[in-house]
Amino acid sequence: MGDYKTKTSDYDYFLPKELIAQTPVEPRDSSRLMIMDRETGALRHGVFTDILDELEPGDVLAVNNSRVMPSRLLGQKEGTGGAIEFLLLAQKGNDEWETMVRPGKRAKVGARFEFGGGLLRAEVLEIMEGGNRRVKFTYEGNNIFSVLEEVGKMPLPPYITETLEDDERYQTVYSRELGSAAAPTAGLHFTEELLQKVQAKGVKIAYLTLHVGLGTFRPVKVDDVTQHKMHTEHYWVSKEAADLINEAKRTGHRVIAVGTTSCRTLESAYIPGEGLRECSDNTDIFIYPGYRWKCIDALITNFHLPESTLIMLVSAFAGYDHVMNAYRVAVEERYRFFSFGDAMFIRSGKKENG
């Protein structure tokens, strides 16, 4: 792998606990923005609304319009009344879901649980590799999603310990497609008004869908990055989004991924020489230094966990030394980190035609 950093410990950094953002800022677009030049690593500091000055007519913002499910369920074991917590991770068909369960000892195969006073019931079908449970749900009503809206809670990441006053603050303003276990957090900084200003400037918005899995938060447990196995996530690219992105590439304008999920979708679906097509597929793409980029030209992202696949992706895009320096500066400048934290824009200059 040449000089590329492939030890997981290379992606560690010192982060004071008080810099982990516990609550979102108001308004959304008042968060801070670190602007990095991808080529030189030079840094500037501003606020998120400054993104307007960084965008140029003809650029395309690729955003993930997936919506977080209220997939955290608190209930009781039938018969004993023992407390149980479920976290729905992925639909496996016919009301069967892969589910994270705590405490696991109460969830043996055949165990039954109820939530919301019996509005939703569950039976454990199998213990999956890694300890998650395959669970069959039963309920009154048309579909499980309407029941979840009634009995489920928002699945905030484990490092957020404060109560969220308004569940919509863990959704992007353009979220539409229900199915994520976590928010595509780079998009949380956009307001409706800012998006209108972006479009008024001649910037197009391409809506992609990737349902974020909890594997997003799964630590890399191997010493050698190249041995890490990524979780699988489902994505869709519409014809409209594909056309916008192909046109930008054809005319020499930039494709700017809003978040690592949009980035992974585009890099999974884009075929060099052919471009992007309408498609629906699964991806387990793992992007780390040494990766050869196919589609994106710039990236808006938050500040990610040490030793995570996300900081490895950002390092692949902007260079390991540039990114680790930026994180050191972010700590010194007291930026806010993780899901409700501040943002970084990794910019490249406007591309030449062709």
Side-chain angles (χ1 to χ4, degrees), residues 98 122 130 150 157 178 181 184 213 221 264 268 270 274 288 316 318 326 343:
E98 180 179 348
E150 202 164 337
L178 196 64
K221 291 182 176 173
R264 292 177 69 241
S268 297
Y270 192 85
E274 295 181 32
Y288 54 87

Side-chain angles (χ1 to χ4, degrees), residues 13 185 260 301-306 308 310-311 314 327 337-338:
Y13 66 90
T185 54
T260 56
T301 189
N302 280 20
F303 292 91
H304 304 293
L305 277 77
S308 64
L310 304 180
I311 194 172
V314 177
Y327 273 63
F337 279 67
F338 305 165

Side-chain angles (χ1 to χ4, degrees), residues 24-32 48-49 67 166-175 185 187-192 194 340-342:
V25 295
E26 293 297 340
R28 290 172 182 258
D29 56 9
S30 64
S31 51
R32 293 167 73 188
F48 194 76
T49 47
R67 189 166 171 79
D166 174 10
D167 282 352
E168 280 303 308
R169 286 301 273 106
Y170 193 58
Q171 307 277 18
T172 62
V173 296
Y174 47 76
S175 66
T185 54
L188 294 178
H189 306 282
F190 283 98
T191 62
E192 298 275 13
L194 182 55
F340 286 140
D342 295 316

